[in-house]
Amino acid sequence: MDTSEGLYRCGTVVLLGPPNAGKSTLLNTFLGQKLAIVTPKPQTTRNQITGILTDDDSQIIFLDTPGVHRMRGRMNRFLLQSAWAGVEAADCIVIMADADLYSRKPQLLARELDPIVKGVQRAHQPVYVALNKIDLVRDKAALLPLMQVLGEMWPEAGILPISASKGKGLDELLATVKKHLPEGPPMFPEDQLSTVPLRFMAAETIREKLFMSLKQELPYSTAVEIEQWDEDENGLIRIGALIWVARDNHKAMVIGKGGQNLKEIGRASRLELKQLLGGKVHLEMWVKVRRDWTEDSNFLRTIGLGE
Ligand SMILES: Nc1nc2c(ncn2[C@@H]2O[C@H](COP(=O)(O)OP(=O)(O)OP(=O)(O)O)[C@@H](O)[C@H]2O)c(=O)[nH]1
Ligand SMILES: [Mg+2]
């Protein structure tokens, strides 16, 4: 703690933005650990995920949120609610935007960011735009028109070019957001990295492998629920997980020919769960059909996607 000035800051920074912008990647890079799952597919994150970054002069509680999009349906409504609830809880707002995507397809910029600009317009907190993935933008001059358009859309927002995966521009981003945190003591012990329960992280790990193994729109209508979690006297953790799909034919797609796909999901999940839980893991998975579950409020609630 910085006792020389007696000034310690503690507060919440929300990471908001369209799907696939790199919000979860940024959270993981800041924390030096994988707290949130990351995939190249949109709508990977479904819940608010905290990452607590503690150093000598501040404790920043980052809030990773589901991507803001225009899709309809019950589950989407919950995802959006959970993204906007993050804004209410924050002292500072960081909007993530994919600089590579928008430099190639400038017409998408306004379309994807408009709902977010409108959403934060009345927010009282300071807003920054983190133009992410600059490592993919070969001609850095291509960033200038983007910054110009953003500056017009959002005159009051500061713009910071970053690369979440390569760690570029992150010191500047940290220093900038820190200035906006209220003075106060840390809210969490310094060795606590998140408030997310291990069980949830285990389910997410499996969901990530599942997402990666599926094509097209299918990931969106799959979910993972941990049904069993026991630890025996030798420290072996037995996990039973249900993979939910929304249609009968999806079940066969998840399982794959001769069970190959599910086997591969299990192999990759086990490997990572061992690291996450620091011990031996026995993982069993079942694939179950619940027709159109993404529209079923009761079911959404039971798997943690509803209030
Ligand atoms: N090259 C490059 N890729 C990145 C960077 N940041 C994120 N990515 C990639 O972008 C994809 C999406 O990243 P996520 O962190 O899952 O994005 P998100 O904003 O959390 O997405 P949702 O949870 O779906 O809203 C992944 O394939 C990441 O590896 C970056 O700085 N550079
Ligand atoms: Mg995410």
Short mmCIF file of all heavy atoms in Angstrom, two decimals, residues 92-124:
data_model
loop_
_atom_site.label_atom_id
_atom_site.label_comp_id
_atom_site.label_asym_id
_atom_site.label_seq_id
_atom_site.Cartn_x
_atom_site.Cartn_y
_atom_site.Cartn_z
N CYS A 92 -15.50 3.35 -13.87
CA CYS A 92 -14.92 3.76 -15.15
C CYS A 92 -15.33 2.73 -16.21
O CYS A 92 -15.43 1.54 -15.91
CB CYS A 92 -13.40 3.79 -14.99
SG CYS A 92 -12.50 4.23 -16.48
N ILE A 93 -15.59 3.20 -17.42
CA ILE A 93 -16.09 2.30 -18.48
C ILE A 93 -15.04 2.19 -19.59
O ILE A 93 -14.59 3.21 -20.11
CB ILE A 93 -17.41 2.85 -19.07
CG1 ILE A 93 -18.45 3.00 -17.95
CG2 ILE A 93 -17.93 1.95 -20.19
CD1 ILE A 93 -19.71 3.75 -18.39
N VAL A 94 -14.66 0.96 -19.91
CA VAL A 94 -13.75 0.76 -21.04
C VAL A 94 -14.50 -0.01 -22.11
O VAL A 94 -14.93 -1.14 -21.90
CB VAL A 94 -12.47 -0.02 -20.63
CG1 VAL A 94 -11.64 -0.36 -21.85
CG2 VAL A 94 -11.65 0.79 -19.62
N ILE A 95 -14.69 0.65 -23.26
CA ILE A 95 -15.37 0.00 -24.38
C ILE A 95 -14.29 -0.63 -25.25
O ILE A 95 -13.36 0.05 -25.68
CB ILE A 95 -16.11 1.02 -25.26
CG1 ILE A 95 -16.94 2.00 -24.42
CG2 ILE A 95 -16.95 0.34 -26.33
CD1 ILE A 95 -18.19 1.51 -23.87
N MET A 96 -14.43 -1.91 -25.50
CA MET A 96 -13.45 -2.58 -26.35
C MET A 96 -13.98 -2.63 -27.78
O MET A 96 -15.15 -2.93 -27.99
CB MET A 96 -13.22 -4.01 -25.89
CG MET A 96 -12.80 -4.14 -24.46
SD MET A 96 -11.03 -4.19 -24.21
CE MET A 96 -10.44 -5.43 -25.31
N ALA A 97 -13.11 -2.35 -28.73
CA ALA A 97 -13.52 -2.41 -30.13
C ALA A 97 -12.40 -3.05 -30.94
O ALA A 97 -11.22 -2.84 -30.65
CB ALA A 97 -13.82 -1.01 -30.64
N ASP A 98 -12.78 -3.84 -31.93
CA ASP A 98 -11.81 -4.59 -32.73
C ASP A 98 -11.28 -3.71 -33.87
O ASP A 98 -11.93 -3.55 -34.90
CB ASP A 98 -12.54 -5.84 -33.27
CG ASP A 98 -11.62 -6.78 -34.04
OD1 ASP A 98 -10.59 -6.32 -34.58
OD2 ASP A 98 -11.96 -7.98 -34.11
N ALA A 99 -10.09 -3.15 -33.67
CA ALA A 99 -9.52 -2.22 -34.65
C ALA A 99 -9.26 -2.91 -35.99
O ALA A 99 -9.44 -2.30 -37.06
CB ALA A 99 -8.21 -1.64 -34.12
N ASP A 100 -8.89 -4.16 -35.93
CA ASP A 100 -8.60 -4.88 -37.17
C ASP A 100 -9.86 -5.04 -38.00
O ASP A 100 -9.90 -4.73 -39.20
CB ASP A 100 -8.00 -6.25 -36.81
CG ASP A 100 -7.79 -7.09 -38.05
OD1 ASP A 100 -7.21 -6.58 -39.02
OD2 ASP A 100 -8.22 -8.27 -38.05
N LEU A 101 -10.94 -5.48 -37.34
CA LEU A 101 -12.22 -5.67 -38.04
C LEU A 101 -12.70 -4.36 -38.65
O LEU A 101 -13.07 -4.30 -39.83
CB LEU A 101 -13.25 -6.22 -37.04
CG LEU A 101 -14.68 -6.35 -37.54
CD1 LEU A 101 -14.77 -7.47 -38.58
CD2 LEU A 101 -15.65 -6.64 -36.39
N TYR A 102 -12.69 -3.27 -37.86
CA TYR A 102 -13.25 -2.02 -38.34
C TYR A 102 -12.35 -1.33 -39.36
O TYR A 102 -12.82 -0.51 -40.14
CB TYR A 102 -13.57 -1.08 -37.18
CG TYR A 102 -14.55 -1.69 -36.19
CD1 TYR A 102 -14.38 -1.53 -34.82
CD2 TYR A 102 -15.64 -2.44 -36.63
CE1 TYR A 102 -15.27 -2.10 -33.92
CE2 TYR A 102 -16.52 -3.02 -35.74
CZ TYR A 102 -16.33 -2.85 -34.37
OH TYR A 102 -17.21 -3.41 -33.48
N SER A 103 -11.06 -1.64 -39.34
CA SER A 103 -10.22 -1.01 -40.37
C SER A 103 -10.46 -1.72 -41.72
O SER A 103 -10.32 -1.11 -42.77
CB SER A 103 -8.74 -1.04 -39.99
OG SER A 103 -8.28 -2.36 -39.93
N ARG A 104 -10.87 -2.99 -41.63
CA ARG A 104 -11.19 -3.70 -42.88
C ARG A 104 -12.63 -3.44 -43.30
O ARG A 104 -12.95 -3.42 -44.48
CB ARG A 104 -10.95 -5.21 -42.71
CG ARG A 104 -9.46 -5.58 -42.70
CD ARG A 104 -9.24 -7.07 -42.58
NE ARG A 104 -9.58 -7.59 -41.26
CZ ARG A 104 -10.61 -8.37 -41.00
NH1 ARG A 104 -11.44 -8.76 -41.95
NH2 ARG A 104 -10.85 -8.80 -39.77
N LYS A 105 -13.53 -3.32 -42.33
CA LYS A 105 -14.95 -3.11 -42.64
C LYS A 105 -15.48 -1.92 -41.85
O LYS A 105 -16.20 -2.08 -40.85
CB LYS A 105 -15.75 -4.36 -42.26
CG LYS A 105 -15.33 -5.59 -43.04
CD LYS A 105 -16.20 -6.75 -42.68
CE LYS A 105 -15.79 -7.97 -43.49
NZ LYS A 105 -16.38 -9.21 -43.03
N PRO A 106 -15.13 -0.70 -42.30
CA PRO A 106 -15.49 0.50 -41.53
C PRO A 106 -16.99 0.65 -41.31
O PRO A 106 -17.43 1.23 -40.32
CB PRO A 106 -14.96 1.65 -42.39
CG PRO A 106 -14.08 1.04 -43.42
CD PRO A 106 -14.42 -0.40 -43.54
N GLN A 107 -17.79 0.08 -42.25
CA GLN A 107 -19.25 0.25 -42.12
C GLN A 107 -19.79 -0.45 -40.87
O GLN A 107 -20.88 -0.12 -40.38
CB GLN A 107 -19.96 -0.25 -43.38
CG GLN A 107 -20.01 -1.76 -43.59
CD GLN A 107 -18.70 -2.35 -44.16
OE1 GLN A 107 -17.68 -1.68 -44.23
NE2 GLN A 107 -18.74 -3.62 -44.54
N LEU A 108 -19.03 -1.41 -40.34
CA LEU A 108 -19.50 -2.14 -39.15
C LEU A 108 -19.34 -1.32 -37.87
O LEU A 108 -20.00 -1.56 -36.87
CB LEU A 108 -18.71 -3.44 -38.97
CG LEU A 108 -19.05 -4.60 -39.89
CD1 LEU A 108 -18.24 -5.83 -39.49
CD2 LEU A 108 -20.54 -4.94 -39.79
N LEU A 109 -18.43 -0.38 -37.92
CA LEU A 109 -18.09 0.35 -36.70
C LEU A 109 -19.31 1.03 -36.08
O LEU A 109 -19.65 0.79 -34.93
CB LEU A 109 -16.98 1.36 -36.98
CG LEU A 109 -16.42 2.06 -35.76
CD1 LEU A 109 -14.90 2.02 -35.76
CD2 LEU A 109 -16.86 3.49 -35.68
N ALA A 110 -20.00 1.84 -36.89
CA ALA A 110 -21.15 2.56 -36.36
C ALA A 110 -22.24 1.57 -35.96
O ALA A 110 -22.88 1.71 -34.91
CB ALA A 110 -21.68 3.55 -37.38
N ARG A 111 -22.44 0.53 -36.80
CA ARG A 111 -23.52 -0.41 -36.53
C ARG A 111 -23.32 -1.13 -35.20
O ARG A 111 -24.25 -1.28 -34.41
CB ARG A 111 -23.59 -1.43 -37.67
CG ARG A 111 -24.95 -2.09 -37.72
CD ARG A 111 -25.14 -2.83 -39.00
NE ARG A 111 -24.63 -4.18 -38.86
CZ ARG A 111 -24.36 -4.97 -39.89
NH1 ARG A 111 -24.50 -4.52 -41.11
NH2 ARG A 111 -23.94 -6.18 -39.70
N GLU A 112 -22.09 -1.55 -34.93
CA GLU A 112 -21.86 -2.32 -33.71
C GLU A 112 -21.72 -1.43 -32.48
O GLU A 112 -22.06 -1.84 -31.38
CB GLU A 112 -20.60 -3.19 -33.87
CG GLU A 112 -20.81 -4.30 -34.89
CD GLU A 112 -19.77 -5.41 -34.78
OE1 GLU A 112 -18.74 -5.22 -34.11
OE2 GLU A 112 -20.01 -6.47 -35.39
N LEU A 113 -21.18 -0.23 -32.69
CA LEU A 113 -20.93 0.60 -31.51
C LEU A 113 -22.08 1.55 -31.16
O LEU A 113 -22.17 2.00 -30.02
CB LEU A 113 -19.63 1.39 -31.66
CG LEU A 113 -18.36 0.53 -31.62
CD1 LEU A 113 -17.12 1.40 -31.66
CD2 LEU A 113 -18.31 -0.36 -30.39
N ASP A 114 -22.97 1.79 -32.12
CA ASP A 114 -24.10 2.69 -31.87
C ASP A 114 -24.90 2.34 -30.60
O ASP A 114 -25.15 3.20 -29.76
CB ASP A 114 -25.04 2.74 -33.07
CG ASP A 114 -24.96 4.10 -33.75
OD1 ASP A 114 -24.22 4.96 -33.23
OD2 ASP A 114 -25.64 4.29 -34.77
N PRO A 115 -25.32 1.05 -30.49
CA PRO A 115 -26.11 0.72 -29.30
C PRO A 115 -25.32 0.95 -28.01
O PRO A 115 -25.91 1.28 -26.97
CB PRO A 115 -26.41 -0.79 -29.44
CG PRO A 115 -25.83 -1.23 -30.73
CD PRO A 115 -25.14 -0.09 -31.39
N ILE A 116 -24.01 0.82 -28.11
CA ILE A 116 -23.20 1.00 -26.90
C ILE A 116 -23.06 2.48 -26.58
O ILE A 116 -23.20 2.90 -25.43
CB ILE A 116 -21.83 0.30 -27.07
CG1 ILE A 116 -22.08 -1.19 -27.32
CG2 ILE A 116 -20.96 0.51 -25.85
CD1 ILE A 116 -20.86 -1.99 -27.66
N VAL A 117 -22.82 3.27 -27.62
CA VAL A 117 -22.73 4.73 -27.40
C VAL A 117 -24.03 5.21 -26.76
O VAL A 117 -24.03 5.94 -25.77
CB VAL A 117 -22.52 5.48 -28.74
CG1 VAL A 117 -22.52 6.98 -28.53
CG2 VAL A 117 -21.22 5.06 -29.39
N LYS A 118 -25.16 4.75 -27.33
CA LYS A 118 -26.47 5.18 -26.79
C LYS A 118 -26.61 4.73 -25.33
O LYS A 118 -27.08 5.47 -24.49
CB LYS A 118 -27.60 4.59 -27.61
CG LYS A 118 -27.64 5.18 -29.00
CD LYS A 118 -29.07 5.24 -29.56
CE LYS A 118 -29.07 5.95 -30.89
NZ LYS A 118 -28.62 5.05 -31.99
N GLY A 119 -26.18 3.51 -25.08
CA GLY A 119 -26.32 2.95 -23.73
C GLY A 119 -25.51 3.67 -22.68
O GLY A 119 -25.93 3.75 -21.53
N VAL A 120 -24.33 4.18 -23.05
CA VAL A 120 -23.50 4.82 -22.02
C VAL A 120 -23.63 6.34 -22.03
O VAL A 120 -23.03 7.02 -21.22
CB VAL A 120 -22.00 4.45 -22.12
CG1 VAL A 120 -21.79 2.96 -21.93
CG2 VAL A 120 -21.39 4.92 -23.41
N GLN A 121 -24.45 6.85 -22.96
CA GLN A 121 -24.57 8.30 -23.09
C GLN A 121 -24.94 8.99 -21.78
O GLN A 121 -24.42 10.04 -21.44
CB GLN A 121 -25.62 8.65 -24.14
CG GLN A 121 -25.09 9.59 -25.18
CD GLN A 121 -25.89 9.45 -26.46
OE1 GLN A 121 -27.04 9.03 -26.46
NE2 GLN A 121 -25.26 9.81 -27.57
N ARG A 122 -25.82 8.33 -21.06
CA ARG A 122 -26.27 8.96 -19.82
C ARG A 122 -25.44 8.55 -18.61
O ARG A 122 -25.71 8.96 -17.50
CB ARG A 122 -27.75 8.65 -19.59
CG ARG A 122 -28.63 9.74 -20.19
CD ARG A 122 -30.06 9.31 -20.22
NE ARG A 122 -30.24 8.25 -21.20
CZ ARG A 122 -31.09 7.24 -21.06
NH1 ARG A 122 -31.82 7.13 -20.00
NH2 ARG A 122 -31.21 6.34 -22.01
N ALA A 123 -24.43 7.70 -18.87
CA ALA A 123 -23.60 7.25 -17.74
C ALA A 123 -22.79 8.42 -17.20
O ALA A 123 -22.35 9.29 -17.96
CB ALA A 123 -22.67 6.13 -18.20
N HIS A 124 -22.62 8.45 -15.90
CA HIS A 124 -21.88 9.57 -15.30
C HIS A 124 -20.38 9.28 -15.23
O HIS A 124 -19.59 10.16 -14.97
CB HIS A 124 -22.44 9.85 -13.89
CG HIS A 124 -22.43 8.63 -13.03
ND1 HIS A 124 -23.40 7.67 -13.11
CD2 HIS A 124 -21.54 8.18 -12.13
CE1 HIS A 124 -23.12 6.69 -12.26
NE2 HIS A 124 -21.99 6.97 -11.66
#
